[in-house]
Coordinates of all heavy atoms in Angstrom, one line a residue:
M1 N -7.7 -14.9 2.0 CA -6.7 -14.5 1.0 C -5.8 -13.4 1.6 O -6.3 -12.5 2.2 CB -7.4 -14.0 -0.2 CG -6.4 -13.3 -1.2 SD -7.2 -12.2 -2.4 CE -7.5 -13.4 -3.6
A2 N -4.6 -13.6 1.5 CA -3.6 -12.5 2.1 C -2.6 -12.3 1.0 O -2.3 -13.1 0.2 CB -3.0 -13.0 3.3
S3 N -2.1 -11.0 1.0 CA -1.1 -10.7 0.1 C 0.0 -9.9 0.8 O -0.3 -9.1 1.6 CB -1.7 -9.8 -1.1 OG -2.2 -8.6 -0.6
T4 N 1.2 -10.2 0.4 CA 2.4 -9.4 0.9 C 3.3 -9.1 -0.3 O 3.3 -9.8 -1.3 CB 3.2 -10.2 1.9 OG1 3.7 -11.4 1.3 CG2 2.3 -10.6 3.1
G5 N 4.0 -8.0 -0.1 CA 4.9 -7.7 -1.2 C 6.0 -6.8 -0.7 O 5.9 -6.1 0.3
R6 N 7.2 -6.8 -1.4 CA 8.3 -6.0 -1.0 C 9.0 -5.6 -2.3 O 9.3 -6.5 -3.1 CB 9.2 -6.7 0.0 CG 10.3 -5.8 0.4 CD 11.2 -6.5 1.5 NE 12.4 -5.8 1.7 CZ 12.5 -4.8 2.6 NH1 11.4 -4.4 3.3 NH2 13.6 -4.1 2.8
C7 N 9.2 -4.4 -2.5 CA 9.8 -3.9 -3.7 C 11.0 -3.0 -3.3 O 10.9 -2.3 -2.3 CB 8.9 -3.0 -4.6 SG 7.4 -3.9 -5.1
Q8 N 12.1 -3.2 -4.0 CA 13.3 -2.3 -3.7 C 13.8 -1.9 -5.0 O 14.0 -2.7 -5.9 CB 14.3 -3.1 -2.9 CG 15.4 -2.2 -2.3 CD 16.2 -2.9 -1.3 OE1 15.9 -4.1 -0.9 NE2 17.2 -2.3 -0.8
H9 N 14.1 -0.6 -5.2 CA 14.6 -0.1 -6.4 C 15.9 0.7 -6.1 O 15.9 1.5 -5.2 CB 13.6 0.9 -7.0 CG 14.1 1.7 -8.1 ND1 14.3 1.1 -9.4 CD2 14.4 3.0 -8.2 CE1 14.7 2.1 -10.2 NE2 14.8 3.2 -9.5
R10 N 16.9 0.4 -6.9 CA 18.2 1.1 -6.7 C 18.5 1.7 -8.1 O 18.6 1.0 -9.1 CB 19.3 0.1 -6.3 CG 19.0 -0.6 -5.1 CD 20.2 -0.5 -4.2 NE 20.0 -1.2 -3.0 CZ 19.8 -0.7 -1.8 NH1 19.7 0.6 -1.7 NH2 19.6 -1.4 -0.7
S11 N 18.6 3.0 -8.1 CA 18.8 3.7 -9.3 C 20.3 4.2 -9.5 O 20.7 4.5 -10.6 CB 17.9 5.0 -9.4 OG 18.2 5.8 -8.3
A12 N 21.1 4.2 -8.4 CA 22.4 4.7 -8.5 C 23.2 3.8 -9.4 O 23.2 2.6 -9.4 CB 23.1 4.7 -7.1
G13 N 24.0 4.5 -10.3 CA 24.9 3.7 -11.2 C 24.2 3.2 -12.4 O 24.8 2.5 -13.2
R14 N 23.0 3.6 -12.7 CA 22.3 3.1 -13.8 C 21.9 4.3 -14.8 O 20.9 4.2 -15.5 CB 21.0 2.4 -13.4 CG 21.3 1.2 -12.6 CD 20.1 0.2 -12.6 NE 20.5 -1.0 -11.8 CZ 19.9 -1.4 -10.8 NH1 18.8 -0.8 -10.3 NH2 20.3 -2.5 -10.2
G15 N 22.7 5.3 -14.8 CA 22.5 6.4 -15.7 C 21.4 7.4 -15.3 O 21.1 8.3 -16.0
L16 N 20.9 7.3 -14.1 CA 19.9 8.2 -13.5 C 20.6 9.2 -12.6 O 21.7 8.9 -12.0 CB 18.9 7.5 -12.7 CG 18.0 6.5 -13.6 CD1 17.1 5.7 -12.6 CD2 17.2 7.2 -14.6
P17 N 20.1 10.4 -12.5 CA 20.7 11.4 -11.6 C 20.8 10.9 -10.2 O 20.0 10.1 -9.7 CB 19.7 12.6 -11.7 CG 18.8 12.3 -12.8 CD 18.9 10.9 -13.1
P18 N 21.8 11.3 -9.4 CA 22.0 10.8 -8.1 C 20.8 11.1 -7.1 O 20.6 10.5 -6.1 CB 23.3 11.4 -7.6 CG 23.5 12.5 -8.5 CD 22.9 12.2 -9.8
E19 N 20.0 12.2 -7.5 CA 18.9 12.6 -6.6 C 17.7 11.8 -6.8 O 16.7 12.0 -6.2 CB 18.6 14.1 -6.7 CG 18.1 14.5 -8.0 CD 19.2 14.8 -9.1 OE1 20.4 14.6 -8.8 OE2 18.8 15.1 -10.2
T20 N 17.7 10.8 -7.8 CA 16.6 9.9 -8.0 C 16.3 9.1 -6.8 O 17.1 8.5 -6.2 CB 16.9 9.0 -9.2 OG1 17.2 9.8 -10.4 CG2 15.6 8.1 -9.5
P21 N 15.0 9.1 -6.3 CA 14.6 8.4 -5.1 C 14.9 6.9 -5.2 O 14.8 6.3 -6.3 CB 13.1 8.6 -5.0 CG 12.8 9.8 -5.8 CD 13.9 9.8 -6.9
K22 N 15.3 6.3 -4.1 CA 15.5 4.9 -4.0 C 14.5 4.4 -3.0 O 14.7 4.2 -1.8 CB 16.9 4.6 -3.5 CG 18.0 5.2 -4.4 CD 19.3 5.2 -3.7 CE 20.3 5.9 -4.6 NZ 21.5 6.2 -3.9
P23 N 13.2 4.1 -3.4 CA 12.2 3.7 -2.5 C 12.3 2.3 -2.0 O 12.8 1.4 -2.7 CB 10.9 3.9 -3.3 CG 11.3 3.7 -4.7 CD 12.7 4.2 -4.8
R24 N 11.8 2.1 -0.8 CA 11.6 0.8 -0.3 C 10.1 0.7 0.1 O 9.6 1.5 0.9 CB 12.5 0.6 1.0 CG 14.0 0.6 0.6 CD 14.8 0.5 1.7 NE 16.2 0.7 1.2 CZ 17.2 0.3 1.9 NH1 17.1 -0.2 3.1 NH2 18.4 0.5 1.4
L25 N 9.5 -0.3 -0.4 CA 8.0 -0.4 -0.3 C 7.6 -1.7 0.3 O 8.1 -2.8 -0.1 CB 7.4 -0.3 -1.7 CG 5.9 -0.3 -1.9 CD1 5.4 1.0 -1.2 CD2 5.6 -0.3 -3.3
L26 N 6.7 -1.7 1.3 CA 6.2 -2.9 2.0 C 4.7 -2.8 1.9 O 4.1 -1.8 2.3 CB 6.7 -2.9 3.4 CG 6.1 -4.1 4.3 CD1 6.6 -5.4 3.7 CD2 6.5 -3.9 5.7
L27 N 4.1 -3.9 1.4 CA 2.6 -4.0 1.2 C 2.2 -5.2 2.0 O 2.7 -6.3 1.8 CB 2.2 -4.2 -0.2 CG 2.8 -3.2 -1.2 CD1 2.7 -3.8 -2.6 CD2 2.1 -1.9 -1.1
L28 N 1.2 -5.0 2.8 CA 0.5 -6.1 3.6 C -1.0 -5.9 3.5 O -1.5 -4.8 3.7 CB 1.0 -6.2 5.0 CG 2.4 -6.5 5.3 CD1 2.8 -6.4 6.8 CD2 2.7 -7.9 4.8
G29 N -1.7 -7.0 3.3 CA -3.1 -6.9 3.3 C -3.8 -8.3 3.4 O -3.1 -9.3 3.2
A30 N -5.0 -8.3 3.8 CA -5.8 -9.5 3.9 C -7.3 -9.3 3.6 O -7.8 -8.2 3.9 CB -5.6 -10.1 5.3
T31 N -7.9 -10.3 3.2 CA -9.4 -10.3 2.9 C -10.0 -11.4 3.7 O -9.5 -12.5 3.7 CB -9.7 -10.4 1.4 OG1 -9.1 -9.3 0.7 CG2 -11.1 -10.5 1.1
Y32 N -11.2 -11.1 4.3 CA -11.9 -12.1 5.0 C -13.3 -12.1 4.4 O -14.0 -11.1 4.3 CB -12.0 -11.7 6.5 CG -12.9 -12.6 7.3 CD1 -12.5 -13.9 7.6 CD2 -14.2 -12.2 7.7 CE1 -13.2 -14.8 8.3 CE2 -15.0 -13.1 8.5 CZ -14.5 -14.4 8.7 OH -15.3 -15.2 9.5
Q33 N -13.7 -13.3 4.0 CA -15.1 -13.5 3.4 C -16.0 -13.9 4.5 O -16.1 -15.0 4.9 CB -15.0 -14.6 2.3 CG -16.3 -14.8 1.6 CD -16.2 -15.8 0.5 OE1 -15.1 -16.2 0.1 NE2 -17.3 -16.2 -0.1
Y34 N -16.8 -12.9 5.0 CA -17.7 -13.1 6.1 C -18.9 -14.0 5.6 O -19.3 -14.9 6.3 CB -18.2 -11.8 6.6 CG -19.1 -11.9 7.8 CD1 -18.5 -12.2 9.1 CD2 -20.4 -11.6 7.8 CE1 -19.3 -12.3 10.2 CE2 -21.2 -11.7 8.9 CZ -20.6 -12.0 10.1 OH -21.4 -12.1 11.3
T35 N -19.5 -13.7 4.5 CA -20.5 -14.5 3.8 C -20.1 -14.6 2.3 O -19.2 -13.9 1.9 CB -21.9 -13.9 4.0 OG1 -22.0 -12.7 3.3 CG2 -22.3 -13.7 5.4
D36 N -20.9 -15.3 1.5 CA -20.7 -15.3 0.1 C -20.8 -13.9 -0.5 O -20.1 -13.6 -1.5 CB -21.7 -16.2 -0.6 CG -21.4 -17.7 -0.4 OD1 -20.2 -18.0 0.0 OD2 -22.3 -18.5 -0.6
A37 N -21.6 -13.0 0.1 CA -21.8 -11.7 -0.5 C -21.0 -10.6 0.2 O -20.8 -9.6 -0.4 CB -23.3 -11.3 -0.4
L38 N -20.5 -10.8 1.4 CA -19.9 -9.8 2.2 C -18.4 -10.1 2.5 O -18.1 -11.1 3.0 CB -20.6 -9.6 3.5 CG -20.2 -8.4 4.4 CD1 -20.4 -7.1 3.7 CD2 -21.0 -8.5 5.7
H39 N -17.5 -9.2 2.0 CA -16.1 -9.4 2.2 C -15.5 -8.1 2.9 O -15.9 -7.0 2.6 CB -15.4 -9.5 0.8 CG -15.8 -10.7 0.0 ND1 -15.2 -11.1 -1.1 CD2 -16.9 -11.5 0.2 CE1 -15.8 -12.2 -1.6 NE2 -16.8 -12.4 -0.8
F40 N -14.5 -8.4 3.7 CA -13.8 -7.3 4.4 C -12.3 -7.4 4.0 O -11.8 -8.5 4.0 CB -13.9 -7.4 5.9 CG -15.3 -7.3 6.5 CD1 -16.0 -8.4 6.8 CD2 -15.9 -6.1 6.6 CE1 -17.3 -8.4 7.3 CE2 -17.2 -6.0 7.1 CZ -17.9 -7.1 7.4
T41 N -11.7 -6.3 3.7 CA -10.3 -6.2 3.3 C -9.6 -5.1 4.1 O -10.2 -4.0 4.3 CB -10.1 -5.9 1.8 OG1 -10.8 -6.9 1.1 CG2 -8.7 -5.9 1.4
G42 N -8.4 -5.4 4.6 CA -7.7 -4.3 5.3 C -6.2 -4.5 5.0 O -5.7 -5.6 4.7
G43 N -5.5 -3.5 5.2 CA -4.0 -3.6 5.0 C -3.3 -2.3 5.2 O -3.9 -1.3 5.6
F44 N -2.0 -2.3 4.9 CA -1.2 -1.1 5.0 C -0.1 -1.1 3.9 O 0.3 -2.2 3.4 CB -0.7 -0.8 6.4 CG 0.6 -1.5 6.7 CD1 1.8 -0.9 6.6 CD2 0.6 -2.9 7.1 CE1 3.0 -1.5 7.0 CE2 1.7 -3.5 7.4 CZ 2.9 -2.8 7.4
I45 N 0.4 0.1 3.6 CA 1.5 0.3 2.7 C 2.5 1.2 3.4 O 2.1 2.2 3.9 CB 1.0 0.9 1.4 CG1 -0.1 0.1 0.7 CG2 2.1 1.1 0.4 CD1 -0.9 0.8 -0.4
H46 N 3.7 0.8 3.4 CA 4.8 1.6 4.0 C 5.8 1.8 2.9 O 6.3 0.9 2.3 CB 5.4 0.9 5.2 CG 6.4 1.7 5.8 ND1 6.2 2.8 6.6 CD2 7.8 1.6 5.8 CE1 7.3 3.4 7.0 NE2 8.3 2.6 6.6
D47 N 6.2 3.1 2.7 CA 7.2 3.5 1.7 C 8.2 4.3 2.4 O 7.9 5.3 3.1 CB 6.5 4.2 0.6 CG 7.4 4.8 -0.4 OD1 8.5 4.2 -0.6 OD2 7.1 5.8 -1.1
R48 N 9.5 4.0 2.2 CA 10.6 4.8 2.7 C 11.5 5.2 1.5 O 12.0 4.4 0.8 CB 11.4 4.1 3.7 CG 12.6 4.9 4.2 CD 13.3 4.2 5.3 NE 12.5 4.4 6.5 CZ 12.7 3.7 7.7 NH1 13.7 2.8 7.7 NH2 12.0 3.9 8.7
S49 N 11.6 6.5 1.3 CA 12.5 7.0 0.2 C 13.8 7.5 0.7 O 13.8 8.2 1.7 CB 11.7 8.1 -0.6 OG 10.6 7.6 -1.3
K50 N 14.8 7.2 0.0 CA 16.1 7.7 0.4 C 16.7 8.4 -0.8 O 16.9 7.8 -1.9 CB 17.0 6.6 0.8 CG 18.4 6.9 1.1 CD 18.6 7.5 2.5 CE 20.1 7.7 2.8 NZ 20.3 8.9 3.6
V51 N 17.0 9.7 -0.7 CA 17.7 10.4 -1.8 C 19.0 11.0 -1.2 O 19.1 11.1 0.0 CB 16.8 11.4 -2.4 CG1 15.6 10.8 -3.2 CG2 16.3 12.4 -1.4
D52 N 19.8 11.5 -2.1 CA 21.1 12.0 -1.6 C 20.9 13.3 -0.9 O 21.8 13.7 -0.1 CB 22.0 12.2 -2.8 CG 22.5 10.9 -3.4 OD1 22.4 9.9 -2.7 OD2 22.9 10.8 -4.6
T53 N 19.9 14.0 -1.1 CA 19.6 15.3 -0.4 C 18.8 14.9 0.8 O 17.6 14.5 0.7 CB 18.8 16.2 -1.3 OG1 19.4 16.4 -2.5 CG2 18.6 17.6 -0.6
V54 N 19.3 15.1 2.0 CA 18.6 14.7 3.3 C 17.3 15.4 3.4 O 16.3 14.8 3.9 CB 19.5 15.0 4.5 CG1 18.8 14.7 5.8 CG2 20.8 14.2 4.4
A55 N 17.1 16.6 2.9 CA 15.8 17.3 3.1 C 14.7 16.6 2.3 O 13.5 16.8 2.6 CB 16.0 18.7 2.5
A56 N 15.0 15.8 1.3 CA 13.9 15.1 0.6 C 13.7 13.7 1.1 O 12.7 13.0 0.6 CB 14.3 15.0 -0.9
D57 N 14.4 13.2 2.0 CA 14.2 11.8 2.6 C 12.8 11.8 3.3 O 12.4 12.8 3.8 CB 15.2 11.4 3.6 CG 16.6 11.1 2.9 OD1 16.6 11.0 1.7 OD2 17.5 10.9 3.7
G58 N 12.2 10.7 3.3 CA 10.9 10.6 4.0 C 10.3 9.2 4.0 O 10.8 8.3 3.3
K59 N 9.2 9.1 4.7 CA 8.5 7.8 4.8 C 7.0 8.1 4.8 O 6.6 9.1 5.4 CB 9.0 7.0 6.0 CG 8.8 7.6 7.3 CD 9.4 6.7 8.4 CE 9.4 7.4 9.7 NZ 9.9 6.6 10.8
R60 N 6.3 7.2 4.2 CA 4.8 7.3 4.2 C 4.2 6.0 4.5 O 4.7 5.0 4.1 CB 4.4 7.7 2.8 CG 4.7 9.2 2.4 CD 4.7 9.4 1.0 NE 5.7 8.7 0.2 CZ 7.0 9.0 0.2 NH1 7.5 10.0 0.9 NH2 7.9 8.3 -0.5
T61 N 3.2 6.1 5.3 CA 2.4 4.9 5.7 C 0.9 5.1 5.4 O 0.4 6.2 5.7 CB 2.6 4.5 7.2 OG1 4.0 4.3 7.4 CG2 1.9 3.2 7.5
A62 N 0.3 4.2 4.8 CA -1.1 4.3 4.5 C -1.8 3.0 5.0 O -1.4 1.9 4.8 CB -1.4 4.5 3.0
Y63 N -3.0 3.2 5.7 CA -3.8 2.2 6.2 C -5.1 2.2 5.4 O -5.6 3.3 5.1 CB -4.1 2.3 7.7 CG -2.9 2.3 8.5 CD1 -2.2 3.5 8.9 CD2 -2.3 1.1 9.0 CE1 -1.1 3.5 9.6 CE2 -1.2 1.1 9.7 CZ -0.6 2.3 10.1 OH 0.6 2.3 10.8
Y64 N -5.7 1.1 5.1 CA -6.9 1.1 4.3 C -7.8 0.0 4.7 O -7.4 -1.1 5.2 CB -6.7 1.1 2.8 CG -6.0 -0.2 2.3 CD1 -6.8 -1.3 2.0 CD2 -4.6 -0.3 2.3 CE1 -6.1 -2.5 1.5 CE2 -4.0 -1.5 1.9 CZ -4.8 -2.6 1.5 OH -4.2 -3.7 1.1
G65 N -9.1 0.2 4.5 CA -10.1 -0.8 4.8 C -11.2 -0.8 3.7 O -11.6 0.3 3.3
V66 N -11.7 -1.9 3.4 CA -12.7 -2.0 2.3 C -13.8 -3.0 2.8 O -13.5 -4.1 3.3 CB -12.1 -2.5 1.0 CG1 -13.2 -2.6 -0.1 CG2 -11.0 -1.7 0.5
V67 N -15.1 -2.6 2.6 CA -16.2 -3.4 2.8 C -16.8 -3.6 1.5 O -17.2 -2.6 0.8 CB -17.2 -2.8 3.8 CG1 -18.4 -3.7 4.0 CG2 -16.6 -2.6 5.2
D68 N -17.0 -4.8 1.0 CA -17.5 -5.1 -0.3 C -18.7 -6.0 -0.2 O -18.7 -7.1 0.4 CB -16.4 -5.8 -1.1 CG -16.5 -5.6 -2.6 OD1 -17.6 -5.2 -3.1 OD2 -15.5 -5.9 -3.3
Y69 N -19.8 -5.6 -0.9 CA -21.0 -6.5 -0.9 C -21.4 -6.8 -2.3 O -21.6 -5.9 -3.1 CB -22.2 -5.7 -0.2 CG -23.4 -6.6 -0.1 CD1 -23.5 -7.5 1.0 CD2 -24.4 -6.5 -1.0 CE1 -24.6 -8.3 1.1 CE2 -25.5 -7.4 -0.9 CZ -25.6 -8.3 0.1 OH -26.7 -9.1 0.2
Y70 N -21.5 -8.1 -2.6 CA -21.8 -8.6 -3.9 C -23.3 -8.9 -4.1 O -23.8 -9.8 -3.4 CB -21.0 -9.8 -4.2 CG -19.5 -9.6 -4.4 CD1 -18.7 -9.5 -3.2 CD2 -18.9 -9.4 -5.6 CE1 -17.3 -9.3 -3.3 CE2 -17.6 -9.2 -5.7 CZ -16.8 -9.1 -4.6 OH -15.5 -8.9 -4.7
F71 N -24.0 -8.1 -5.0 CA -25.4 -8.4 -5.3 C -25.5 -9.6 -6.2 O -26.4 -10.4 -6.1 CB -26.0 -7.2 -5.9 CG -26.2 -6.1 -5.0 CD1 -25.4 -5.0 -5.1 CD2 -27.1 -6.1 -4.0 CE1 -25.5 -3.9 -4.2 CE2 -27.3 -5.0 -3.1 CZ -26.5 -3.9 -3.2
S72 N -24.5 -9.8 -7.1 CA -24.5 -10.9 -8.1 C -23.0 -11.0 -8.5 O -22.1 -10.4 -8.0 CB -25.3 -10.6 -9.3 OG -24.8 -9.5 -10.0
K73 N -22.7 -11.9 -9.5 CA -21.4 -12.1 -9.9 C -20.8 -10.9 -10.6 O -19.6 -10.7 -10.6 CB -21.3 -13.3 -10.9 CG -21.5 -14.6 -10.3 CD -21.4 -15.7 -11.3 CE -21.6 -17.1 -10.7 NZ -21.5 -18.2 -11.7
R74 N -21.7 -10.0 -11.1 CA -21.2 -8.9 -11.9 C -21.5 -7.5 -11.2 O -21.1 -6.5 -11.7 CB -21.8 -8.9 -13.3 CG -21.3 -10.0 -14.1 CD -21.8 -9.9 -15.5 NE -23.2 -10.3 -15.5 CZ -24.0 -10.3 -16.5 NH1 -23.6 -9.9 -17.7 NH2 -25.3 -10.7 -16.4
T75 N -22.2 -7.5 -10.1 CA -22.6 -6.3 -9.5 C -22.3 -6.3 -8.0 O -22.6 -7.2 -7.3 CB -24.1 -6.1 -9.6 OG1 -24.5 -6.2 -11.0 CG2 -24.5 -4.7 -9.1
D76 N -21.5 -5.2 -7.6 CA -21.2 -5.1 -6.2 C -21.1 -3.6 -5.8 O -21.0 -2.8 -6.7 CB -19.9 -5.8 -5.8 CG -18.7 -5.2 -6.4 OD1 -18.7 -4.7 -7.5 OD2 -17.7 -5.1 -5.6
V77 N -21.2 -3.3 -4.5 CA -20.9 -2.0 -4.0 C -19.9 -2.1 -2.9 O -19.7 -3.2 -2.3 CB -22.2 -1.4 -3.4 CG1 -23.2 -1.1 -4.4 CG2 -22.8 -2.2 -2.3
Y78 N -19.1 -1.1 -2.7 CA -18.0 -1.1 -1.8 C -17.8 0.2 -1.1 O -18.1 1.2 -1.7 CB -16.7 -1.7 -2.4 CG -16.2 -0.9 -3.6 CD1 -15.4 0.2 -3.4 CD2 -16.6 -1.3 -4.8 CE1 -14.9 0.9 -4.5 CE2 -16.2 -0.5 -5.9 CZ -15.3 0.5 -5.7 OH -14.9 1.2 -6.8
A79 N -17.3 0.2 0.0 CA -16.9 1.4 0.7 C -15.4 1.3 1.1 O -15.0 0.2 1.6 CB -17.7 1.7 2.0
I80 N -14.7 2.4 0.9 CA -13.2 2.4 1.2 C -12.9 3.5 2.2 O -13.4 4.6 2.1 CB -12.4 2.6 -0.1 CG1 -12.7 1.5 -1.1 CG2 -10.9 2.6 0.3 CD1 -12.0 1.7 -2.4
C81 N -12.1 3.2 3.2 CA -11.7 4.1 4.2 C -10.2 4.0 4.3 O -9.6 2.9 4.3 CB -12.3 3.9 5.5 SG -11.9 5.0 6.8
G82 N -9.5 5.2 4.3 CA -8.1 5.1 4.4 C -7.5 6.3 5.2 O -8.1 7.3 5.4
L83 N -6.3 6.1 5.6 CA -5.5 7.1 6.4 C -4.1 7.0 5.9 O -3.5 6.0 5.8 CB -5.6 6.7 7.9 CG -4.7 7.6 8.8 CD1 -5.2 9.0 8.8 CD2 -4.7 7.0 10.2
S84 N -3.6 8.2 5.5 CA -2.2 8.3 5.0 C -1.4 9.2 6.0 O -1.9 10.3 6.3 CB -2.2 8.8 3.6 OG -0.9 8.9 3.1
I85 N -0.2 8.8 6.3 CA 0.6 9.5 7.2 C 2.0 9.7 6.5 O 2.6 8.7 6.1 CB 0.8 8.8 8.6 CG1 -0.5 8.5 9.2 CG2 1.8 9.5 9.5 CD1 -0.5 7.6 10.4
A86 N 2.4 10.9 6.4 CA 3.8 11.2 5.8 C 4.6 11.8 6.9 O 4.2 12.7 7.7 CB 3.6 12.1 4.6
A87 N 5.9 11.4 6.9 CA 6.9 12.0 7.8 C 8.2 12.2 7.2 O 8.6 11.4 6.3 CB 7.0 11.1 9.1
R88 N 8.9 13.1 7.6 CA 10.3 13.4 7.1 C 11.2 12.5 7.9 O 11.2 12.5 9.1 CB 10.6 14.8 7.2 CG 11.7 15.3 6.4 CD 11.9 16.8 6.6 NE 12.1 17.4 5.3 CZ 12.3 18.7 5.2 NH1 12.1 19.5 6.2 NH2 12.6 19.2 4.0
A89 N 12.1 11.8 7.3 CA 13.1 11.1 8.0 C 14.2 12.0 8.6 O 14.5 13.0 8.1 CB 13.9 10.1 7.0
H90 N 14.6 11.7 9.8 CA 15.6 12.5 10.5 C 16.9 11.9 10.5 O 17.2 10.8 10.7 CB 15.1 12.8 11.9 CG 13.9 13.7 11.9 ND1 13.0 13.7 11.0 CD2 13.5 14.6 12.8 CE1 12.0 14.6 11.3 NE2 12.3 15.2 12.4

């Protein structure tokens, strides 16, 4: 199973203040079923915000991984690991 997504929001001209962020979001992820009980998931999220004030512009990227073990249809345990990186756009 894989998922992708892209969202774009434009607020200018819709009655919102001009400093309202205009984010651009990219989501990518995939899940691999190693056995019936053991699943691995990984992916990343990238967000770039653009506002009229240059000092507030920026981008963020997050990477994540999940290991999921199913004991039954209703019971599972999982571990999540993630890394988030934020940078100011120049």
